[in-house]
Amino acid sequence: MSSSNLAFSLGIDVGKTALELALRNGEKTVANTTVSNDPDGHEQLLRWLQEQGAGSEKTGVCMEASGDFEKAIAQRLYEEDYRVSVVNPRRIKGYASSQLQRTKTDSADASLIARFGQREDPRPWEPASASESRLQELTRTRQALQKEKTRTQNRLDEAEDEAVRRAHRGLLEEIERQIEDLEEEIEEHVEEDPKLKDRCSLLNTIPGIGLQTAAIVVSELGSPEKFESARQAAAYAGLVPRHRKSGSSIRGNPQMSKVGNARLRRAMYFPAMTALRFNSAVKAFGERLKERGKEKMVVLGAAMRKLLHICYGVLKSGRPFDASLHPGA
């Protein structure tokens, strides 16, 4: 059922420790409260909704994606059959601007989110399966270790004292071992789950996308059905261009918005460099941009976006990569 057809709309402003709630009925907010963002607070929220007469058959729930702090309450409400939507904060920010909202408080934000959910009818959220959640946990841990590896390597390069260098070398070897163990675990986990294996195998047909990158794309992007287009998927990763222009005085070069899933965006960086050399579709696209005088990093950012578009298309269609579908890119 569309959220616009439901009697109530609940907006939740999600914080690390608290949830600010605003319940709308028709054109006005009828109740506000705050609960803690923990299991006790979640049960209190459910009781509060029942007291307001806002059962699952009458109420749509909308909240922003908030660094995974929203996952537990979204899951709990989903289990109680509420129609839950988790939306990109950029959409809420844009909606606030369109509504000329000037008041910036948690309560006002919750009310705005409720109104957004009521009027814009965002797509319903569904939780990841246990297997998908574990893959995400594994890939995120691997990415965190890779960042730590880079930091440790930098410290080793800067160190002059031999005892300090020896300590950094030992730590670097341990991190590399843990990364190798995790990569083996990711491969085994993908191999054991037919659905994950099928998706990763499709992505592996794209030149530039290896298994570890495919696992990140699958775990972070989720089902391609969540997005209406490849552009929406790129926006989710923060890979859409952000233009800077004001009258005739300010004209900056377009840059990536970087408002979105940083893990997914980061996963496209090195594969895009490879794709610019060995993926005919991305290579042709990059060469065309170079001919137009685009700078190296602009070309790389565009290649990252193009590569994610291709990933989305392959997953959406369920068909392996076909370079003939990108003539001239």
Side-chain angles (χ1 to χ4, degrees), residues 208 213 265-276 300 304 307:
T213 300
R265 184 170 62 252
R266 194 182 309 121
M268 290 292 103
Y269 185 82
F270 288 112
M273 295 177 68
T274 301
L276 281 168
L300 180 56
M304 292 166 65
L307 191 57

Side-chain angles (χ1 to χ4, degrees), residues 145 171-184:
L145 284 173
L171 180 56
L172 194 60
E173 290 172 1
E174 175 61 21
I175 293 172
E176 289 172 344
R177 184 190 64 77
Q178 291 182 17
I179 290 174
E180 289 177 3
D181 289 346
L182 272 173
E183 288 178 346
E184 290 180 7

Side-chain angles (χ1 to χ4, degrees), residues 1-4 6 8-14 19-23 45-46 48-49 54-56 58-64 70 73-78 80-87 110 113-118 121-125:
M1 180 184 292
S2 168
S3 61
S4 60
L6 296 170
F8 294 96
S9 176
L10 175 68
I12 305 180
D13 186 42
V14 179
L19 304 172
E20 188 71 36
L21 313 174
L23 186 67
L45 184 159
L46 291 170
W48 179 77
L49 285 172
S56 59
K58 299 179 181 180
T59 308
V61 182
C62 186
M63 66 189 79
E64 291 180 330
E70 81 286 351
I73 185 55
Q75 175 72 39
R76 188 69 187 91
L77 287 163
Y78 180 86
E80 294 296 323
D81 295 326
Y82 281 89
R83 186 187 191 279
V84 179
S85 296
V86 179
V87 301
I113 293 168
R115 189 161 73 246
F116 174 90
Q118 183 181 46
D121 193 25
R123 185 184 298 273
W125 173 86

Side-chain angles (χ1 to χ4, degrees), residues 89-109:
R90 287 188 69 196
R91 293 188 66 188
I92 301 296
K93 184 177 180 180
Y95 184 74
S97 297
S98 72
Q99 299 296 302
L100 302 178
Q101 175 169 312
R102 295 180 175 85
T103 303
K104 180 64 178 174
T105 64
D106 291 342
S107 179
D109 286 347

Side-chain angles (χ1 to χ4, degrees), residues 291-303:
E291 290 171 0
R292 289 163 53 187
K294 299 298 182 182
E295 297 177 359
K296 181 178 179 180
M297 291 308 297
V298 172
V299 173
L300 180 56

Side-chain angles (χ1 to χ4, degrees), residues 121-133:
D121 193 25
R123 185 184 298 273
W125 173 86
E126 291 186 3
S129 68
S131 184
E132 290 169 334
S133 293

